[in-house]
PDB file of all heavy atoms in Angstrom:
ATOM      1  N   SER A  54      73.930  92.497  93.364  1.00  0.00           N
ATOM      2  CA  SER A  54      72.515  92.305  93.029  1.00  0.00           C
ATOM      3  C   SER A  54      71.983  93.466  92.200  1.00  0.00           C
ATOM      4  O   SER A  54      71.226  93.266  91.237  1.00  0.00           O
ATOM      5  CB  SER A  54      71.686  92.155  94.311  1.00  0.00           C
ATOM      6  OG  SER A  54      71.927  90.913  94.930  1.00  0.00           O
ATOM      7  N   LEU A  55      72.370  94.688  92.540  1.00  0.00           N
ATOM      8  CA  LEU A  55      71.939  95.849  91.767  1.00  0.00           C
ATOM      9  C   LEU A  55      72.501  95.800  90.353  1.00  0.00           C
ATOM     10  O   LEU A  55      71.826  96.192  89.394  1.00  0.00           O
ATOM     11  CB  LEU A  55      72.363  97.137  92.474  1.00  0.00           C
ATOM     12  CG  LEU A  55      71.667  97.432  93.814  1.00  0.00           C
ATOM     13  CD1 LEU A  55      72.283  98.647  94.487  1.00  0.00           C
ATOM     14  CD2 LEU A  55      70.170  97.643  93.602  1.00  0.00           C
ATOM     15  N   TYR A  56      73.736  95.314  90.207  1.00  0.00           N
ATOM     16  CA  TYR A  56      74.303  95.156  88.867  1.00  0.00           C
ATOM     17  C   TYR A  56      73.512  94.150  88.051  1.00  0.00           C
ATOM     18  O   TYR A  56      73.228  94.363  86.859  1.00  0.00           O
ATOM     19  CB  TYR A  56      75.765  94.700  88.960  1.00  0.00           C
ATOM     20  CG  TYR A  56      76.745  95.776  88.572  1.00  0.00           C
ATOM     21  CD1 TYR A  56      77.557  96.369  89.519  1.00  0.00           C
ATOM     22  CD2 TYR A  56      76.855  96.207  87.263  1.00  0.00           C
ATOM     23  CE1 TYR A  56      78.452  97.375  89.180  1.00  0.00           C
ATOM     24  CE2 TYR A  56      77.744  97.204  86.908  1.00  0.00           C
ATOM     25  CZ  TYR A  56      78.538  97.780  87.869  1.00  0.00           C
ATOM     26  OH  TYR A  56      79.412  98.767  87.523  1.00  0.00           O
ATOM     27  N   MET A  57      73.170  93.049  88.677  1.00  0.00           N
ATOM     28  CA  MET A  57      72.413  92.022  87.959  1.00  0.00           C
ATOM     29  C   MET A  57      71.067  92.561  87.472  1.00  0.00           C
ATOM     30  O   MET A  57      70.564  92.165  86.422  1.00  0.00           O
ATOM     31  CB  MET A  57      72.181  90.813  88.865  1.00  0.00           C
ATOM     32  CG  MET A  57      73.438  90.052  89.257  1.00  0.00           C
ATOM     33  SD  MET A  57      74.308  89.308  87.847  1.00  0.00           S
ATOM     34  CE  MET A  57      75.655  90.462  87.630  1.00  0.00           C
ATOM     35  N   LYS A  58      70.504  93.497  88.234  1.00  0.00           N
ATOM     36  CA  LYS A  58      69.218  94.082  87.866  1.00  0.00           C
ATOM     37  C   LYS A  58      69.364  95.411  87.145  1.00  0.00           C
ATOM     38  O   LYS A  58      68.372  96.068  86.839  1.00  0.00           O
ATOM     39  CB  LYS A  58      68.371  94.260  89.130  1.00  0.00           C
ATOM     40  CG  LYS A  58      68.062  92.941  89.838  1.00  0.00           C
ATOM     41  CD  LYS A  58      67.280  93.158  91.124  1.00  0.00           C
ATOM     42  CE  LYS A  58      66.998  91.842  91.815  1.00  0.00           C
ATOM     43  NZ  LYS A  58      66.234  92.017  93.074  1.00  0.00           N
ATOM     44  N   ARG A  59      70.629  95.824  86.894  1.00  0.00           N
ATOM     45  CA  ARG A  59      70.949  97.048  86.154  1.00  0.00           C
ATOM     46  C   ARG A  59      70.351  98.288  86.822  1.00  0.00           C
ATOM     47  O   ARG A  59      69.842  99.194  86.172  1.00  0.00           O
ATOM     48  CB  ARG A  59      70.491  96.927  84.701  1.00  0.00           C
ATOM     49  CG  ARG A  59      70.968  95.657  84.020  1.00  0.00           C
ATOM     50  CD  ARG A  59      70.730  95.642  82.556  1.00  0.00           C
ATOM     51  NE  ARG A  59      71.689  96.506  81.870  1.00  0.00           N
ATOM     52  CZ  ARG A  59      71.812  96.582  80.555  1.00  0.00           C
ATOM     53  NH1 ARG A  59      71.039  95.834  79.774  1.00  0.00           N
ATOM     54  NH2 ARG A  59      72.691  97.387  80.007  1.00  0.00           N
ATOM     55  N   VAL A  60      70.448  98.316  88.145  1.00  0.00           N
ATOM     56  CA  VAL A  60      69.900  99.408  88.948  1.00  0.00           C
ATOM     57  C   VAL A  60      71.043 100.310  89.402  1.00  0.00           C
ATOM     58  O   VAL A  60      72.062  99.833  89.910  1.00  0.00           O
ATOM     59  CB  VAL A  60      69.127  98.862  90.166  1.00  0.00           C
ATOM     60  CG1 VAL A  60      68.729  99.996  91.104  1.00  0.00           C
ATOM     61  CG2 VAL A  60      67.895  98.097  89.705  1.00  0.00           C
ATOM     62  N   PHE A  61      70.876 101.605  89.245  1.00  0.00           N
ATOM     63  CA  PHE A  61      71.927 102.567  89.580  1.00  0.00           C
ATOM     64  C   PHE A  61      72.165 102.631  91.083  1.00  0.00           C
ATOM     65  O   PHE A  61      71.235 102.565  91.882  1.00  0.00           O
ATOM     66  CB  PHE A  61      71.547 103.957  89.066  1.00  0.00           C
ATOM     67  CG  PHE A  61      72.499 105.040  89.479  1.00  0.00           C
ATOM     68  CD1 PHE A  61      73.725 105.181  88.855  1.00  0.00           C
ATOM     69  CD2 PHE A  61      72.176 105.903  90.513  1.00  0.00           C
ATOM     70  CE1 PHE A  61      74.613 106.167  89.237  1.00  0.00           C
ATOM     71  CE2 PHE A  61      73.055 106.900  90.911  1.00  0.00           C
ATOM     72  CZ  PHE A  61      74.283 107.028  90.268  1.00  0.00           C
ATOM     73  N   PHE A  62      73.451 102.780  91.468  1.00  0.00           N
ATOM     74  CA  PHE A  62      73.819 102.963  92.864  1.00  0.00           C
ATOM     75  C   PHE A  62      75.088 103.802  92.937  1.00  0.00           C
ATOM     76  O   PHE A  62      75.800 104.001  91.951  1.00  0.00           O
ATOM     77  CB  PHE A  62      74.037 101.616  93.571  1.00  0.00           C
ATOM     78  CG  PHE A  62      75.201 100.821  93.038  1.00  0.00           C
ATOM     79  CD1 PHE A  62      76.490 101.025  93.511  1.00  0.00           C
ATOM     80  CD2 PHE A  62      75.002  99.852  92.059  1.00  0.00           C
ATOM     81  CE1 PHE A  62      77.568 100.296  93.030  1.00  0.00           C
ATOM     82  CE2 PHE A  62      76.068  99.127  91.567  1.00  0.00           C
ATOM     83  CZ  PHE A  62      77.357  99.339  92.045  1.00  0.00           C
ATOM     84  N   VAL A  63      75.377 104.298  94.129  1.00  0.00           N
ATOM     85  CA  VAL A  63      76.603 105.053  94.405  1.00  0.00           C
ATOM     86  C   VAL A  63      77.299 104.381  95.569  1.00  0.00           C
ATOM     87  O   VAL A  63      76.685 104.164  96.619  1.00  0.00           O
ATOM     88  CB  VAL A  63      76.305 106.529  94.757  1.00  0.00           C
ATOM     89  CG1 VAL A  63      77.600 107.253  95.110  1.00  0.00           C
ATOM     90  CG2 VAL A  63      75.603 107.224  93.612  1.00  0.00           C
ATOM     91  N   ASP A  64      78.577 104.036  95.391  1.00  0.00           N
ATOM     92  CA  ASP A  64      79.382 103.489  96.480  1.00  0.00           C
ATOM     93  C   ASP A  64      80.565 104.422  96.686  1.00  0.00           C
ATOM     94  O   ASP A  64      81.484 104.472  95.864  1.00  0.00           O
ATOM     95  CB  ASP A  64      79.863 102.076  96.157  1.00  0.00           C
ATOM     96  CG  ASP A  64      80.755 101.516  97.251  1.00  0.00           C
ATOM     97  OD1 ASP A  64      80.666 102.017  98.386  1.00  0.00           O
ATOM     98  OD2 ASP A  64      81.533 100.587  96.972  1.00  0.00           O
ATOM     99  N   GLU A  65      80.534 105.173  97.787  1.00  0.00           N
ATOM    100  CA  GLU A  65      81.575 106.157  98.026  1.00  0.00           C
ATOM    101  C   GLU A  65      82.908 105.528  98.414  1.00  0.00           C
ATOM    102  O   GLU A  65      83.924 106.216  98.505  1.00  0.00           O
ATOM    103  CB  GLU A  65      81.143 107.143  99.122  1.00  0.00           C
ATOM    104  CG  GLU A  65      81.052 106.564 100.517  1.00  0.00           C
ATOM    105  CD  GLU A  65      79.798 105.760 100.754  1.00  0.00           C
ATOM    106  OE1 GLU A  65      78.930 105.711  99.843  1.00  0.00           O
ATOM    107  OE2 GLU A  65      79.667 105.178 101.832  1.00  0.00           O
ATOM    108  N   SER A  66      82.952 104.191  98.632  1.00  0.00           N
ATOM    109  CA  SER A  66      84.204 103.557  99.037  1.00  0.00           C
ATOM    110  C   SER A  66      85.177 103.388  97.883  1.00  0.00           C
ATOM    111  O   SER A  66      86.368 103.171  98.110  1.00  0.00           O
ATOM    112  CB  SER A  66      83.930 102.187  99.674  1.00  0.00           C
ATOM    113  OG  SER A  66      83.443 101.268  98.700  1.00  0.00           O
ATOM    114  N   GLY A  67      84.721 103.481  96.645  1.00  0.00           N
ATOM    115  CA  GLY A  67      85.653 103.308  95.538  1.00  0.00           C
ATOM    116  C   GLY A  67      84.967 103.343  94.193  1.00  0.00           C
ATOM    117  O   GLY A  67      83.739 103.285  94.085  1.00  0.00           O
ATOM    118  N   PRO A  68      85.769 103.424  93.120  1.00  0.00           N
ATOM    119  CA  PRO A  68      85.240 103.421  91.755  1.00  0.00           C
ATOM    120  C   PRO A  68      84.559 102.096  91.411  1.00  0.00           C
ATOM    121  O   PRO A  68      84.624 101.134  92.186  1.00  0.00           O
ATOM    122  CB  PRO A  68      86.502 103.662  90.901  1.00  0.00           C
ATOM    123  CG  PRO A  68      87.499 104.265  91.833  1.00  0.00           C
ATOM    124  CD  PRO A  68      87.218 103.658  93.174  1.00  0.00           C
TER     125      PRO A  68
END
Side-chain angles (χ1 to χ4, degrees):
S54 288
L55 293 174
Y56 251 110
M57 294 297 102
K58 298 177 181 180
R59 309 190 75 173
V60 172
F61 174 76
F62 65 86
V63 177
D64 177 22
E65 69 282 356
S66 68

